[in-house]
Amino acid sequence: MAPTLATAFNRRWWMAVTAVIENLLFSAVLLGWSSLLIMLKSEGFYSYLCKAPENSSNLNISNSSISEADGEPEEFLTMNNWPICKDQDEMLNLAFTVGSFLLSAITLPLGIVMDKYGPRKLRLLGSACFAFSCLLIAYGARDPNNLSILIFFALAMNGFGGMCMTFTSLTLPNMFGDLRSTFIALMIGSYASSAVTFPGIKVIYDLGAAFISILIVWAGCACLVFLNCFINWPLEPFPGPEDMDFTVKIKFSWLGFDHKITGKQFYRQVTMVGRRLSVGNAIKQPQQPSNDLSAQDANKLCLSTVDLEVNCKGNEESQSFMRSIFSPIFLLSLITMCVTQLRLIFYMGAMNTILESLTDGDLSTVDKMQVVSVYTSIFGVLQLLCLVTSPVIGYVMDWKLKDCEDENDKTVKSEPGQPRRPTKKIQKIINATRAFIFTNLLLVGFGVTCIVPNLPLQILSFILHTIVRGFIHSAVGGLYAAVYPSSQFGSLTGMQSLISALFALLQQPLFMAMVGPLEGDPLWVNVGLLVLSMLGFCLPFYLLCHSRHLQRLREERDDDPKVYIKMNTSSTPEANV
């Protein structure tokens, strides 16, 4: 039996803590691809693509020998008694491309389904798919010569299941009021930090644990996620702070309804009832009514859900989904996310090759692989920075919101000579502008460090990569939550993720160009991506102009003595002077 929204609200801290842990272990674990790639090679996935020379001997970890092919020397390598080669890298990178594409592309249908039916069913489905993906990889590792193809299906299901858990956790911050952007950033930070999971598993693997046993235990842990969701997550979507204030507790036993209603519809109707009672109380003020609200004939109030459903459709549905899609803010956020996603995913997919190109040329191939393994482990550990740094952007997005004026409060007067405090909407846009400027500056810095051919400097690249990945998702999520209706949050985030994932598919031809015509040199690819990342400054520039425009309109409205008429969904206009 699924809990009610009220029960879920009482458990919100437990749900938030477990969601962070679950995101760390099960969401976007494919972001730690460089460590998984080494383990897959060690288990022999697609090793049959590598042609072993005759009369060659193998060592336990790695061995190299030279064979003659077409007049050119070709170095033959093995890892854990399995041959490894460039063709194997390309095939496994293609599997990573499919998985990372689904990690983002599936968010559009997920968002539409979640906005309509709530997060519970999607989270249950996601945890089940993740557990099954672990079992698929384990089954393929039993006979990699014949079952390597299963890695494509496993990574696809891994990406789908991980995104289901990530996406559903983004609705949980709705229960934390004005701290919603901070908690969204915390959820996204745990999602981005999940790249540390495979490096952690690699450490266990290097200590001697069997690869298949690790995956079976991991699948069992995913079943615990399924159980936690089944017990604690409600069927209804979490209403946004503008739809329901969870901190207000009122006894409604004296209210009569002619239909049985629950969930979001209930809270909408209760809000409308409160407004009507407030109006009635203001009208009866000269009669000095009793302080007991139920004694003011309220117990005779019987409302129709049909009547209320018509009247409570307010600001949330005032902006259509298509209008939100074609708004400048959303279109510019698409450009920013497409460029950033391509920049980040290309670096993750090609990291091992990039690091090999930066190692000392005098080292043997085996020594280069050992250096790359050390650096990939460092990269994995640094992913935990996302969990620490992402809430910083959330805090920036929530900056000074409690000091803002309520735009619906007509009694607020500004003191002479003092500028009026901004409304929450204007302050949120200002905060988003600062967040995107800071994030794009870090992205440019990351691009510069990638160009410099210095191996120790790549540790700084790791740090910047980690921070930018957490910041950009947190900033975009906070922007959508601030600007668009909460009922469209999932659909808009899904649309953005789908388009940016399609654009990020370019990382595969870029990788092929780097290992092919460019002979493993990533310089010109990094230069092109650095120039492309400059487009990310278009969004904060527009947000800056938009916030000033809204502030100017507000000042003109306050200074203009004419009457403004606000039409609501009913036939009665509200006139404000």
Side-chain angles (χ1 to χ4, degrees), residues 250-269:
I250 308 173
K251 184 178 180 181
F252 298 107
S253 59
W254 49 269
L255 288 177
F257 294 95
D258 60 351
H259 298 286
K260 186 177 182 180
I261 55 175
T262 58
K264 193 172 184 179
Q265 184 186 16
F266 170 78
Y267 293 119
R268 283 182 171 181
Q269 296 187 15

Side-chain angles (χ1 to χ4, degrees), residues 518-537:
L518 297 178
E519 299 179 349
D521 186 1
L523 175 63
W524 291 111
V525 176
N526 285 327
V527 170
L529 292 175
L530 175 61
V531 174
L532 197 62
S533 64
M534 296 297 178
L535 293 175
F537 288 98

Side-chain angles (χ1 to χ4, degrees), residues 273-293:
V273 171
R275 291 175 181 172
R276 291 186 175 184
L277 291 176
S278 298
V279 173
N281 186 41
I283 295 174
K284 295 180 181 181
Q285 280 294 335
Q287 303 176 7
Q288 296 181 350
S290 169
N291 291 332
D292 187 3
L293 191 60

Side-chain angles (χ1 to χ4, degrees), residues 20-328:
V20 169
I21 297 174
E22 290 165 3
N23 282 350
L24 276 172
L25 297 178
F26 305 102
S27 58
V29 295
L30 284 180
L31 298 178
W33 169 250
S34 56
S35 297
L36 176 61
L37 178 62
I38 295 175
M39 289 187 287
L40 292 178
K41 286 182 175 181
S42 298
E43 293 298 317
F45 280 86
Y46 283 108
S47 61
Y48 61 82
L49 296 176
C50 306
K51 304 300 181 183
E54 297 180 358
N55 300 326
S56 65
S57 59
N58 296 328
L59 298 178
N60 186 33
I61 298 176
S62 62
N63 180 62
S64 63
S65 60
I66 304 297
S67 65
E68 296 295 328
D70 298 330
E72 296 181 359
E74 180 182 353
E75 193 168 13
F76 175 75
L77 300 170
T78 63
M79 181 180 291
N80 198 23
N81 293 328
W82 293 98
I84 59 175
C85 59
K86 185 176 72 172
D87 292 338
Q88 180 190 34
D89 283 341
E90 293 178 358
M91 184 62 70
L92 290 175
N93 191 74
L94 180 60
F96 166 71
T97 302
V98 172
S100 61
F101 170 75
L102 282 179
L103 193 63
S104 299
I106 200 65
T107 51
L108 177 59
L110 287 183
I112 296 173
V113 172
M114 188 176 65
D115 285 340
K116 187 172 183 180
Y117 298 107
R120 175 184 171 89
K121 296 178 181 178
L122 284 179
R123 197 169 184 85
L124 292 174
L125 177 62
S127 57
C129 287
F130 190 95
F132 188 64
S133 72
C134 294
L135 296 178
L136 271 183
I137 299 176
Y139 183 67
R142 294 181 58 188
D143 186 11
N145 285 330
N146 297 314
L147 299 176
S148 291
I149 188 65
L150 291 180
I151 195 66
F152 280 87
F153 300 99
L155 294 185
M157 296 194 70
N158 189 287
F160 173 78
M163 185 48 65
C164 282
M165 286 187 276
T166 302
F167 214 55
T168 52
S169 67
L170 294 182
T171 63
L172 195 57
N174 284 348
M175 294 193 292
F176 292 91
D178 288 337
L179 295 175
R180 178 168 61 170
S181 293
T182 300
F183 274 88
I184 287 177
L186 183 61
M187 296 300 167
I188 292 177
S190 61
Y191 151 82
S193 296
S194 62
V196 76
T197 304
F198 273 129
I201 289 177
K202 183 178 177 296
V203 172
I204 300 174
Y205 178 76
D206 291 339
L207 292 175
F211 186 64
I212 295 177
S213 300
I214 294 174
L215 292 171
I216 292 175
V217 172
W218 203 8
C221 294
C223 294
L224 295 179
V225 179
F226 185 95
L227 181 62
N228 180 52
C229 177
F230 186 81
I231 294 174
N232 294 304
W233 286 66
L235 283 171
E236 299 94 333
F238 298 113
E242 65 276 6
D243 298 326
M244 175 58 191
D245 186 358
F246 286 100
T247 62
V248 178
K249 297 181 179 180
I250 308 173
K251 184 178 180 181
F252 298 107
S253 59
W254 49 269
L255 288 177
F257 294 95
D258 60 351
H259 298 286
K260 186 177 182 180
I261 55 175
T262 58
K264 193 172 184 179
Q265 184 186 16
F266 170 78
Y267 293 119
R268 283 182 171 181
Q269 296 187 15
V270 166
T271 303
M272 181 57 64
V273 171
R275 291 175 181 172
R276 291 186 175 184
L277 291 176
S278 298
V279 173
N281 186 41
I283 295 174
K284 295 180 181 181
Q285 280 294 335
Q287 303 176 7
Q288 296 181 350
S290 169
N291 291 332
D292 187 3
L293 191 60
S294 61
Q296 300 176 27
D297 296 330
N299 57 334
K300 298 178 182 179
L301 181 63
C302 183
L303 300 172
S304 169
T305 56
V306 177
D307 174 62
L308 280 172
E309 187 65 24
V310 172
N311 286 299
C312 69
K313 288 181 180 179
N315 295 331
E316 186 175 350
E317 298 182 5
S318 60
Q319 181 170 331
S320 66
F321 179 68
M322 293 306 298
R323 183 179 176 185
S324 299
I325 287 291
F326 292 103
S327 63

